[in-house]
Amino acid sequence: MPRRLLPALLVAVLALAGCASRHATRAAAPATSAAPPPATTAASTTGTTVPPRPRYRFPVAGCRVTYAHVHHDYPATDILAPRGCRVVSPVDGRVDEVSRVDRWSASTNRGADRGGRSVSVVGVDGVRYYGSHLDWVAPGVVPGAPVRAGQLLGRVGDSGDARGGPTHLHFGLSWPTRPGAWWVRRGVLYPWLYLDAWRAGRDASPAAAVRAARAAAGRAVPPCRVDC
């Protein structure tokens, strides 16, 4: 081969090698895009599930009601409503204590009997909701039974020391206690702020306020000091 052709041939060979190298780089690019997703994406599939916020319902359904922002002697709310109005669970939870028999007597006026027929529910938010002076307790509402927000618990009446007076639901908020601690169960803070919100369709939770009241009390079952 004539020597004058060697330089031109060398240039051609180097050019072909460069093209092959660039092609190999482009061909390798898809392997990079197939890499595993970032660790944050994988972690999101294995992280703890955040429970949904509780939904709340006004405890008397289907009737016109009135109630005041005050109560005699201790914190609670009397919700005035016609006899037979539906009393429902304010939140998802489990039935706590149930009284189906009206044992109240004016001659003894025992604190444990004043509520007459009553139901308490411990909600998924850790709050105990108490309703008393019922005319009737719904079948299947027994201690430990699960309930859903809005589920029928009973009917408005005038049992207990409400006998002969306006029919109403006594409604109390407290923390859970051992059975029989009726002076805690009847109410430890005013519910009207939450009743106002639920009536307007807002999900206001009393859980933080109940926890604060429990801390202030110093023990789960403090002594009865008012209307004992």
Side-chain angles (χ1 to χ4, degrees):
M1 177 180 298
R3 288 185 178 181
R4 63 177 178 272
L5 295 179
L6 287 176
L9 181 60
L10 181 59
V11 170
V13 169
L14 291 174
L16 288 173
C19 289
S21 176
R22 288 193 299 272
H23 180 74
T25 300
R26 287 195 298 269
T32 302
S33 64
T40 53
T41 302
S44 66
T45 63
T46 59
T48 57
T49 302
V50 177
R53 294 177 60 185
R55 301 300 302 272
Y56 294 91
R57 297 290 184 271
F58 193 84
V60 178
C63 292
R64 284 182 171 274
V65 304
T66 59
Y67 56 91
H69 290 178
V70 295
H71 187 266
H72 60 84
D73 301 332
Y74 59 89
T77 296
D78 289 336
I79 305 173
L80 302 180
R83 183 184 300 276
C85 289
R86 299 173 65 244
V87 175
V88 301
S89 180
V91 69
D92 294 353
R94 290 191 175 274
V95 177
D96 180 37
E97 294 181 84
V98 178
S99 173
R100 294 179 178 274
V101 179
D102 184 1
R103 296 184 174 88
W104 182 76
S105 169
S107 62
T108 57
N109 195 31
R110 293 181 63 245
D113 299 337
R114 290 186 195 125
R117 299 181 188 91
S118 64
V119 176
S120 60
V121 168
V122 175
V124 293
D125 56 2
V127 175
R128 179 170 54 186
Y129 300 86
Y130 172 68
S132 64
H133 305 315
L134 303 180
D135 188 59
W136 169 83
V137 176
V141 175
V142 296
V147 291
R148 304 286 292 179
Q151 180 176 330
L152 180 69
L153 300 177
R155 303 277 181 178
V156 171
D158 64 348
S159 60
D161 66 355
R163 192 179 304 164
T167 56
H168 68 278
L169 174 71
H170 171 98
F171 186 70
L173 303 174
S174 65
W175 56 86
T177 63
R178 61 168 172 76
W182 56 267
W183 59 96
V184 177
R185 184 185 61 204
R186 68 187 178 182
V188 298
L189 76 158
Y190 281 103
W192 65 263
L193 180 68
Y194 309 101
L195 291 170
D196 285 355
W198 303 339
R199 198 175 186 184
R202 300 192 305 272
D203 287 322
S205 173
V210 168
R211 287 194 298 268
R214 166 66 179 82
R219 60 178 109 171
V221 184
C224 180
R225 301 188 186 280
V226 177
D227 201 11
C228 301

